[in-house]
PDB file of all heavy atoms in Angstrom:
ATOM      1  N   GLU A 249       5.939 253.622-162.335  1.00  0.00           N
ATOM      2  CA  GLU A 249       7.018 253.019-163.119  1.00  0.00           C
ATOM      3  C   GLU A 249       8.345 253.142-162.352  1.00  0.00           C
ATOM      4  O   GLU A 249       8.711 254.232-161.894  1.00  0.00           O
ATOM      5  CB  GLU A 249       7.154 253.726-164.471  1.00  0.00           C
ATOM      6  CG  GLU A 249       5.875 253.750-165.294  1.00  0.00           C
ATOM      7  CD  GLU A 249       5.466 252.364-165.745  1.00  0.00           C
ATOM      8  OE1 GLU A 249       6.360 251.512-165.930  1.00  0.00           O
ATOM      9  OE2 GLU A 249       4.239 252.129-165.903  1.00  0.00           O
ATOM     10  N   VAL A 250       9.053 252.019-162.209  1.00  0.00           N
ATOM     11  CA  VAL A 250      10.393 252.006-161.614  1.00  0.00           C
ATOM     12  C   VAL A 250      11.262 251.021-162.374  1.00  0.00           C
ATOM     13  O   VAL A 250      10.758 250.064-162.982  1.00  0.00           O
ATOM     14  CB  VAL A 250      10.367 251.634-160.113  1.00  0.00           C
ATOM     15  CG1 VAL A 250       9.622 252.671-159.292  1.00  0.00           C
ATOM     16  CG2 VAL A 250       9.776 250.259-159.899  1.00  0.00           C
ATOM     17  N   ASP A 251      12.576 251.251-162.354  1.00  0.00           N
ATOM     18  CA  ASP A 251      13.534 250.345-162.996  1.00  0.00           C
ATOM     19  C   ASP A 251      14.232 249.444-161.985  1.00  0.00           C
ATOM     20  O   ASP A 251      14.858 248.446-162.357  1.00  0.00           O
ATOM     21  CB  ASP A 251      14.596 251.160-163.741  1.00  0.00           C
ATOM     22  CG  ASP A 251      13.973 252.098-164.761  1.00  0.00           C
ATOM     23  OD1 ASP A 251      13.216 251.594-165.617  1.00  0.00           O
ATOM     24  OD2 ASP A 251      14.224 253.316-164.681  1.00  0.00           O
ATOM     25  N   ALA A 252      14.161 249.838-160.725  1.00  0.00           N
ATOM     26  CA  ALA A 252      14.759 249.038-159.640  1.00  0.00           C
ATOM     27  C   ALA A 252      13.992 249.342-158.370  1.00  0.00           C
ATOM     28  O   ALA A 252      13.437 250.435-158.212  1.00  0.00           O
ATOM     29  CB  ALA A 252      16.237 249.364-159.462  1.00  0.00           C
ATOM     30  N   LEU A 253      13.969 248.349-157.471  1.00  0.00           N
ATOM     31  CA  LEU A 253      13.228 248.512-156.223  1.00  0.00           C
ATOM     32  C   LEU A 253      14.104 248.055-155.062  1.00  0.00           C
ATOM     33  O   LEU A 253      14.567 246.917-155.028  1.00  0.00           O
ATOM     34  CB  LEU A 253      11.942 247.684-156.262  1.00  0.00           C
ATOM     35  CG  LEU A 253      11.003 247.822-155.064  1.00  0.00           C
ATOM     36  CD1 LEU A 253      10.450 249.240-154.970  1.00  0.00           C
ATOM     37  CD2 LEU A 253       9.866 246.803-155.158  1.00  0.00           C
ATOM     38  N   PHE A 254      14.369 248.975-154.141  1.00  0.00           N
ATOM     39  CA  PHE A 254      15.116 248.627-152.930  1.00  0.00           C
ATOM     40  C   PHE A 254      14.132 248.314-151.801  1.00  0.00           C
ATOM     41  O   PHE A 254      13.093 248.968-151.664  1.00  0.00           O
ATOM     42  CB  PHE A 254      16.032 249.779-152.496  1.00  0.00           C
ATOM     43  CG  PHE A 254      17.298 249.879-153.290  1.00  0.00           C
ATOM     44  CD1 PHE A 254      17.311 250.540-154.518  1.00  0.00           C
ATOM     45  CD2 PHE A 254      18.476 249.301-152.820  1.00  0.00           C
ATOM     46  CE1 PHE A 254      18.476 250.631-155.254  1.00  0.00           C
ATOM     47  CE2 PHE A 254      19.648 249.394-153.557  1.00  0.00           C
ATOM     48  CZ  PHE A 254      19.652 250.057-154.776  1.00  0.00           C
ATOM     49  N   THR A 255      14.482 247.341-150.995  1.00  0.00           N
ATOM     50  CA  THR A 255      13.701 247.028-149.806  1.00  0.00           C
ATOM     51  C   THR A 255      14.605 246.336-148.801  1.00  0.00           C
ATOM     52  O   THR A 255      15.741 245.959-149.130  1.00  0.00           O
ATOM     53  CB  THR A 255      12.479 246.153-150.135  1.00  0.00           C
ATOM     54  OG1 THR A 255      11.590 246.139-148.999  1.00  0.00           O
ATOM     55  CG2 THR A 255      12.891 244.719-150.484  1.00  0.00           C
ATOM     56  N   ALA A 256      14.123 246.192-147.572  1.00  0.00           N
ATOM     57  CA  ALA A 256      14.916 245.532-146.525  1.00  0.00           C
ATOM     58  C   ALA A 256      14.083 244.420-145.916  1.00  0.00           C
ATOM     59  O   ALA A 256      13.055 244.689-145.273  1.00  0.00           O
ATOM     60  CB  ALA A 256      15.332 246.534-145.454  1.00  0.00           C
ATOM     61  N   GLY A 257      14.489 243.203-146.149  1.00  0.00           N
ATOM     62  CA  GLY A 257      13.818 242.082-145.518  1.00  0.00           C
ATOM     63  C   GLY A 257      14.193 241.991-144.052  1.00  0.00           C
ATOM     64  O   GLY A 257      15.106 242.673-143.582  1.00  0.00           O
ATOM     65  N   VAL A 258      13.480 241.166-143.317  1.00  0.00           N
ATOM     66  CA  VAL A 258      13.831 240.927-141.922  1.00  0.00           C
ATOM     67  C   VAL A 258      14.899 239.840-141.888  1.00  0.00           C
ATOM     68  O   VAL A 258      14.651 238.717-142.324  1.00  0.00           O
ATOM     69  CB  VAL A 258      12.601 240.469-141.107  1.00  0.00           C
ATOM     70  CG1 VAL A 258      13.007 240.148-139.671  1.00  0.00           C
ATOM     71  CG2 VAL A 258      11.523 241.540-141.140  1.00  0.00           C
ATOM     72  N   PRO A 259      16.116 240.150-141.397  1.00  0.00           N
ATOM     73  CA  PRO A 259      17.172 239.129-141.364  1.00  0.00           C
ATOM     74  C   PRO A 259      16.930 238.131-140.230  1.00  0.00           C
ATOM     75  O   PRO A 259      16.916 238.512-139.056  1.00  0.00           O
ATOM     76  CB  PRO A 259      18.450 239.940-141.150  1.00  0.00           C
ATOM     77  CG  PRO A 259      17.989 241.184-140.480  1.00  0.00           C
ATOM     78  CD  PRO A 259      16.589 241.458-140.932  1.00  0.00           C
TER      79      PRO A 259
END
Side-chain angles (χ1 to χ4, degrees):
E249 304 293 330
V250 296
D251 303 305
L253 184 65
F254 281 83
T255 193
V258 177

